[in-house]
Amino acid sequence: MTTPLNERRLANAIRVLAVDAVQQANSGHPGAPMGMAEIAEVLWRQFLRHNPSNPNWPNRDRFVLSNGHGSMLQYALLHLSGYDVSVDDLKQFRQLHSKTPGHPEYGYTAGVETTTGPLGQGIANAVGFAIAEKTLAAQFNRDGLNVVDHFTYCFMGDGCLMEGISHEVCSLAGTLQLGKLIAYYDDNGISIDGEVEGWFSDDTQKRFEAYGWHVVKVDGHDTEALHAATLAAQAETKRPSLIICKTVIGLGSPNKQGKEECHGAPLGVSEIELVRDTLTWTDEPFVIPADVYDAWDARPKGIIQENEWNTLFEDYRTQYPELAAELQRRLNGDLPADFASKADQYIRDVNSKAETIASRKASQNALQAFGPQLPELLGGSADLAGSNLTIWKGCEGIQDNPAGNYIHYGVREFGMTAIANGIALHGGFIPYVATFLIFMEYARNAVRMGALMKQRVIHVYTHDSIGLGEDGPTHQPIEQLASLRGTPNLNTWRPADTVESAIAWKSALERKDGPTALVFSRQNLPHLTRTETQITDAAKGGYVLAAEQGELKAIIIATGSEVDLAMQAYSQLSGVRVVSMPCAEEFMRQDAAYRESVLPANIRARVAVEASHVDYWWKFVGLDGKVIGMSTFGESAPAKDLFKYFGITTEAVVAAVEELVAR
């Protein structure tokens, strides 16, 4: 092990800040920050291109702490290098509304690129960052003017590698030759339950070499070896790199280093005193000497690096003004100025065309209309493009052309979704990803993380109900819509026909503060006639599709394929209105007056019908109402037989309305 004394002292600053903050909070994970201190010092002081004075500089390197439980490592790095993270912020570690929450959270702390904690998703986000960098560079860079040119670095631990998502994304990263992705594996052999060799005996080097990665093993406390390994990784342009760093968890704690005791609990006051003795650190808790701060301060160098890039970009702007403006537009997340008007015209045209087609086909048609206007679209499907209908005529795979706009993700629903979160976080793209609705379950936690981070990711889910038929209960979604709708900050659209499908796509593309799930049918859905006002109101998530004749006595609420069923019932009833509710979240955002105009509070005879789990709809129909839907799993049979078998029929809706009105 070769580590100059001054570098060890700089690494020790991380250690003492970590143990002090965890002790003060009486909660946290000191072991990883202590064990990875040298790795962090080498990367952040010697390689990372960033400017703490401007954390959002577009061409900064991206850093991801996939083992997010070691968050004090990142907070210590941000504080020491000059970000807006003060000593007082460190003292508020894990406290309400602090900049230093228990796991790194995007939007809370300057310099945190993504929310991490659920293990494996950080490295997945990092793959997304690297894909975005490579694709954006291929689309915009010109000879001698590489305005998109940065690395993505990721720290990860044993838990990240045990999670199956790491296989999904690291396999794809090797296939896509993401040469500017560099990961550091903290190989400390310890997890919460103890020494991992009893349950994790993989040959990680061979595993990643099989993926097509460049792999090197080093002593994770040897700064010279770490420096050399990072240089070698940067020089490898075709393959992503994994640097396996053998470390001692909690290094510096005489009685707890190398043991699970230091993984997820404070060391204790007496042990911290021993840590200070071991590290020959004489300063009081949370006190860092001025010379250490000076050595860590990344602002002077970062300002120079950003200014150099600004000069490069001005040259780029002079030579390629249209490209420069387009890149800035995309990085800002703005749609083209004429997108809304063109999209609205397309929706009117679709209404006039009056096609009876599956909503998944209507979705593809919308992509074909909107795609040529939006070069920032970066689509993909989990090996179901022919069923999800996510490829439009302008699609080109990035595996064949790095400047393309489509990713064949393979059968990797979870990895695909977490990668899309990373692509959105990077900027410059609006990612959309697709699978069958039932397989949203594989991706569930990544969907949640995208909603938590308020990222513009579009989730396309097809085969939306028992209407998919013969594939049976393994493929028929029942509770998935309720799960999506129960996710804060996620919009879930289930359109009834071509018009609502186009409106749903427009809404998802225009939404900048969160993800959207677009849920489409396998089977054909008839066109529903609408006025201009109804088209406008459909974008509000819920609207009156068929008004009552005479006195209003009852309301039928429906979504997707069941809207036509509701309309058939409407034709047999009087005093009834039909409300199409393609997006309940958007409807609930409308003002009280609009909601009352659609669902008058005094009309308690309400029936909701949807070929999905019944529980979601009680909040709209009330305890006096009725919900016609599913409360069991499905069966394998043609769709028409299934709807009849489970009682989701026109006759059932008519009978329910008549019963409620009779009360």
Side-chain angles (χ1 to χ4, degrees):
M1 184 190 309
T2 333
T3 300
L5 184 59
N6 64 325
E7 290 181 357
R8 174 60 56 81
R9 186 163 181 254
L10 298 177
N12 285 344
I14 297 172
R15 292 187 170 99
V16 294
L17 286 174
V19 299
D20 289 343
V22 170
Q23 187 63 41
Q24 175 138 324
N26 197 29
S27 174
H29 300 74
M34 298 176 76
M36 298 190 75
E38 280 79 22
I39 306 169
E41 187 274 328
V42 169
L43 174 62
W44 276 64
R45 287 191 63 252
Q46 301 176 42
F47 290 97
L48 194 69
R49 286 172 54 87
H50 63 128
N51 181 9
S53 301
N54 181 13
N56 297 317
W57 167 35
N59 202 45
R60 67 194 181 278
D61 290 337
R62 302 315 199 260
F63 171 78
V64 177
L65 184 70
S66 190
N67 46 342
H69 56 271
S71 57
M72 264 311 304
L73 174 63
Q74 187 160 13
Y75 300 146
L77 288 165
L78 293 170
H79 170 69
L80 291 167
S81 57
Y83 285 84
D84 184 21
V85 178
S86 68
V87 168
D88 287 339
D89 293 325
L90 300 183
K91 291 179 179 179
Q92 289 296 305
F93 179 53
R94 291 186 161 227
Q95 305 309 300
L96 184 64
H97 301 316
S98 75
K99 292 182 183 178
T100 51
H103 292 80
E105 293 192 34
Y106 177 80
Y108 278 62
T109 316
V112 171
E113 301 282 3
T114 180
T115 300
T116 56
L119 294 175
Q121 288 197 62
I123 181 62
N125 295 163
V127 172
F129 282 126
I131 289 173
E133 191 277 340
K134 182 176 181 178
T135 305
L136 202 66
Q139 292 177 354
F140 283 95
N141 287 352
R142 295 296 181 265
D143 288 344
L145 295 169
N146 292 338
V147 292
V148 181
D149 182 15
H150 63 78
F151 287 95
T152 299
Y153 298 99
C154 180
F155 286 178
M156 57 183 179
D158 293 304
C160 295
L161 295 183
M162 283 187 255
E163 290 286 359
I165 188 174
S166 68
H167 165 72
E168 296 183 25
V169 302
C170 294
S171 166
L172 185 61
T175 299
L176 295 179
Q177 299 184 332
L178 302 179
K180 295 174 86 170
L181 171 63
I182 301 174
Y184 298 79
Y185 164 35
D186 179 27
D187 182 15
N188 62 41
I190 297 293
S191 67
I192 293 173
D193 282 353
E195 297 180 5
V196 302
E197 60 186 13
W199 50 86
F200 184 54
S201 58
D202 300 12
D203 188 327
T204 299
Q205 179 170 352
K206 289 181 180 178
R207 170 186 166 186
F208 275 76
E209 287 173 346
Y211 293 151
W213 286 53
H214 161 74
V215 184
V216 60
K217 284 185 172 181
V218 299
D219 179 341
H221 304 297
D222 184 337
T223 56
E224 290 183 3
L226 287 163
H227 185 93
T230 304
L231 283 176
Q234 288 186 334
E236 175 55 64
T237 59
K238 292 292 186 183
R239 295 177 294 171
S241 293
L242 178 68
I243 302 174
I244 300 174
C245 307
K246 191 63 182 175
T247 64
V248 177
I249 190 171
L251 184 67
S253 172
N255 297 310
K256 297 186 178 183
Q257 69 180 35
K259 301 175 183 178
E260 64 270 21
E261 295 171 66
C262 67
H263 174 89
L267 298 183
V269 174
S270 59
E271 185 68 14
I272 291 176
E273 290 177 358
L274 295 177
V275 169
R276 282 182 149 74
D277 289 342
T278 301
L279 303 180
T280 62
W281 193 274
T282 58
D283 295 279
E284 294 297 311
F286 296 104
V287 174
I288 302 296
D291 64 323
V292 174
Y293 273 131
D294 289 342
W296 267 105
D297 191 353
R299 287 169 293 188
K301 184 178 179 181
I303 290 170
I304 292 171
Q305 291 172 333
E306 182 177 355
N307 286 339
E308 290 172 347
W309 181 82
N310 287 336
T311 300
L312 177 72
F313 190 77
E314 285 306 313
D315 291 344
Y316 182 82
R317 192 199 309 274
T318 299
Q319 296 187 46
Y320 303 100
E322 292 182 359
L323 276 177
E326 177 71 358
L327 177 57
Q328 287 191 312
R329 176 188 73 79
R330 286 174 54 174
L331 290 174
N332 290 338
D334 298 328
L335 298 179
D338 59 353
F339 171 77
S341 60
K342 288 183 177 180
D344 288 340
Q345 183 58 54
Y346 172 73
I347 291 166
R348 287 192 290 270
D349 292 344
V350 167
N351 190 49
S352 300
K353 205 170 183 180
E355 290 181 296
T356 293
I357 56 176
S359 57
R360 62 173 173 159
K361 179 60 179 175
S363 166
Q364 186 182 46
N365 291 347
L367 273 170
Q368 186 61 57
F370 299 154
Q373 304 175 54
L374 301 173
E376 58 263 50
L377 278 179
L378 186 56
S381 174
D383 201 46
L384 287 169
S387 294
N388 298 147
L389 302 184
T390 46
I391 292 180
W392 50 282
K393 292 178 182 178
C395 284
E396 188 171 5
I398 65 170
Q399 73 276 15
D400 299 318
N401 176 10
N405 60 357
Y406 196 84
I407 303 171
H408 292 275
Y409 282 101
V411 187
R412 299 181 175 98
E413 293 88 355
F414 191 7
M416 168 184 73
T417 307
I419 286 171
N421 289 339
I423 291 171
L425 286 159
H426 179 279
F429 295 100
I430 301 174
Y432 67 90
V433 291
T435 186
F436 291 169
L437 177 57
I438 192 68
F439 300 134
M440 175 279 295
E441 294 293 352
Y442 284 133
R444 181 73 187 90
N445 198 257
V447 175
R448 181 181 189 272
M449 293 297 285
L452 185 65
M453 294 186 284
K454 302 180 180 179
Q455 290 304 296
R456 179 160 56 178
V457 178
I458 300 172
H459 306 283
V460 177
Y461 297 127
T462 67
H463 297 59
D464 67 344
S465 72
I466 58 172
L468 66 88
E470 294 84 349
D471 275 342
T474 62
H475 282 52
Q476 291 165 6
I478 302 298
E479 70 276 25
Q480 285 65 40
L481 279 169
S483 176
L484 290 169
R485 289 170 177 149
T487 303
N489 203 45
L490 175 69
N491 274 9
T492 300
W493 288 80
R494 186 173 183 244
D497 66 354
T498 55
V499 175
E500 287 187 4
S501 296
I503 290 169
W505 262 107
K506 178 175 182 280
S507 173
L509 290 164
E510 290 181 334
R511 186 178 187 220
K512 297 177 71 171
D513 61 351
T516 302
L518 303 178
V519 182
F520 299 116
S521 72
R522 178 196 185 197
Q523 72 271 31
N524 288 344
L525 306 180
H527 171 74
L528 303 166
T529 303
R530 292 177 188 80
T531 65
E532 279 285 332
T533 298
Q534 287 174 317
I535 291 174
T536 300
D537 286 346
K540 299 174 182 177
Y543 64 106
V544 178
L545 178 64
E548 63 277 7
Q549 299 297 317
E551 180 188 357
L552 176 60
K553 299 176 182 177
I555 301 172
I556 304 172
I557 307 169
T559 79
S561 51
E562 289 69 68
V563 173
D564 177 58
L565 189 153
M567 291 296 292
Q568 292 179 42
Y570 171 83
S571 68
Q572 301 176 34
L573 296 162
S574 61
V576 174
R577 73 168 51 167
V578 173
V579 170
S580 179
M581 186 80 74
C583 183
E585 298 84 8
E586 200 61 53
F587 177 73
M588 293 306 295
R589 290 192 188 99
Q590 305 305 310
D591 60 47
Y594 178 77
R595 297 198 307 271
E596 173 67 15
S597 73
V598 175
L599 297 175
N602 66 317
I603 305 300
R604 301 177 68 180
R606 299 184 184 187
V607 176
V609 54
E610 183 178 67
S612 183
H613 203 288
V614 297
D615 278 3
Y616 179 79
W617 290 102
W618 292 110
K619 69 179 183 179
F620 286 102
V621 302
L623 296 179
D624 294 332
K626 284 186 173 291
V627 181
I628 297 172
M630 298 294 295
S631 57
T632 68
F633 294 114
E635 296 285 347
S636 179
K640 60 181 178 59
D641 296 336
L642 291 173
F643 278 93
K644 183 177 181 180
Y645 176 76
F646 288 109
I648 305 173
T649 64
T650 300
E651 293 77 14
V653 176
V654 170
V657 171
E658 289 178 340
E659 178 187 343
L660 292 177
V661 171
R663 287 182 188 173

